[in-house]
Amino acid sequence: MTNSEQLKGKVALVTGASREIGGAIARELAARGASVAVNYHRSAEGAAKVAASIEEAGGRAVAIGGDVTDAAQTAEIVAATERELGPVDILVLNTTGFSNHLRGPFLGMEVDALVDNMAAQARAVLRPVAAVAPGMAERGTGAIVFISDSFARTQLVGTIGHGLTKAPMESAMRHLALELGPRGVRVNTVIPGATRSPNLTVSAKGQHDGKLEPVIQATPLRKIGEPQDVANAVALLAGPETSHVTGAFLPVSGGLLLL
Ligand SMILES: NC(=O)c1ccc[n+]([C@@H]2O[C@H](COP(=O)([O-])OP(=O)(O)OC[C@H]3O[C@@H](n4cnc5c(N)ncnc54)[C@H](OP(=O)(O)O)[C@@H]3O)[C@@H](O)[C@H]2O)c1
């Protein structure tokens, strides 16, 4: 089976697919044959570009707007995906859970803002699962992939916001793997380390500001990741080569996170 046939006939919904990492995931799933719903919240133009690039490459994609922290909008995103493409076989939970103003040490941070952020990420993960998993379970097949963050398991001063936001969702993935496994639904997690994105102020050519140098030096492979590195891992966990894998956590961090 070639790569382009691995996900043939499958429908994938990628939440938060309008920017670098989500866009790369959507494109990779499409390159492997899936029809892809490119969800976005505010970046309609970004999502349209991702969908257009997939179609130009001969794939099938639709951009579908909506806030996945909201129950009614999530139901509409799933309904639109099913209308346009068919029942969802692959759900990728990529939405960032993190507000930039929560970067920094705990002391001085607004507790309510931190807790609100945790709740927003929980909604953005659990609502799409609640909307899609019953259909997967009924059909006896499905793959769910959550995008976590290495700071769910390790720490630097200033990253408590990332950790508190993602770690509870890693627990949710364990519970979901246990509950949904007997119904044929696999639940796995990709854990990126520092990955090129506007949040990291790294250009497409890999130039970076000085602040990343300590991270690069602490990384065994001595570089930050590319969105494509995350996308490759997601496609692997969504596809037939990992059909006996569930409840797994795969770091894509150049060795920065060692489990
Ligand atoms: N970049 C890194 O170094 C890094 C490291 C570890 C983990 N990660 C994880 O990798 C994932 C992608 O990160 P990123 O840096 O690419 O993030 P990003 O550039 O901030 O993109 C986040 C995406 O989430 C979408 N989103 C946010 N809230 C949403 C909502 N309520 N409903 C629907 N979509 C929503 C955004 O959509 P709109 O733009 O359309 O609003 C955007 O497409 C995140 O889960 C992040 O935690 C990233």
Side-chain angles (χ1 to χ4, degrees):
M1 190 186 293
T2 65
N3 258 5
S4 64
E5 288 169 343
Q6 276 182 355
L7 301 178
K8 205 170 169 191
K10 302 285 184 195
V11 172
L13 167 59
V14 184
T15 67
S18 53
R19 301 176 67 174
E20 267 77 359
I21 295 176
I25 293 168
R27 279 189 279 265
E28 186 58 33
L29 295 176
R32 296 187 189 210
S35 301
V36 183
V38 178
N39 165 245
Y40 65 93
H41 184 208
R42 296 194 175 87
S43 311
E45 199 182 324
K49 277 190 188 153
V50 171
S53 68
I54 289 172
E55 297 256 324
E56 276 158 26
R60 176 86 180 98
V62 284
I64 299 178
D67 177 351
V68 292
T69 66
D70 179 88
Q73 291 188 48
T74 303
E76 184 43 44
I77 292 162
V78 173
T81 303
E82 293 187 344
R83 264 195 318 272
E84 297 279 341
L85 305 174
V88 178
D89 302 294
I90 297 164
L91 172 65
V92 183
L93 302 156
N94 176 68
T95 52
T96 191
F98 192 69
S99 300
N100 276 335
H101 71 276
L102 292 174
R103 246 175 246 278
F106 174 74
L107 297 184
M109 196 174 273
E110 281 277 341
V111 170
D112 283 341
L114 191 54
V115 173
D116 288 350
N117 198 75
M118 293 165 69
Q121 171 76 155
R123 290 194 178 94
V125 169
L126 300 177
R127 290 210 196 283
V129 173
V132 164
M136 289 178 167
E138 208 176 294
R139 293 186 297 281
T141 181
I144 296 172
V145 184
F146 168 56
I147 311 302
S148 187
D149 187 310
S150 53
F151 291 125
R153 289 166 183 253
T154 185
Q155 52 285 317
L156 284 175
V157 171
T159 61
I160 188 169
H162 293 80
L164 289 183
T165 300
K166 293 288 190 176
M169 292 303 98
E170 288 203 2
S171 172
M173 295 306 126
R174 285 192 179 83
H175 287 274
L176 287 166
L178 185 68
E179 183 175 329
L180 297 175
R183 317 284 301 272
V185 182
R186 301 186 298 112
V187 181
N188 290 297
T189 299
V190 171
I191 313 178
T195 305
R196 182 174 59 78
S197 72
N199 298 337
L200 277 183
T201 63
V202 177
S203 79
K205 288 187 180 149
Q207 294 156 333
H208 55 80
D209 68 15
K211 286 184 223 147
L212 279 175
E213 200 50 41
V215 179
I216 293 168
Q217 287 313 316
T219 302
L221 294 183
R222 295 288 190 275
K223 57 188 168 72
I224 61 159
E226 294 295 318
Q228 187 62 41
D229 296 321
V230 177
N232 291 342
V234 170
L236 180 71
L237 289 171
E241 289 173 327
T242 54
S243 60
H244 201 48
V245 176
T246 195
F249 292 83
L250 177 57
V252 180
S253 66
L256 186 63
L257 176 68
L258 297 172
L259 298 186

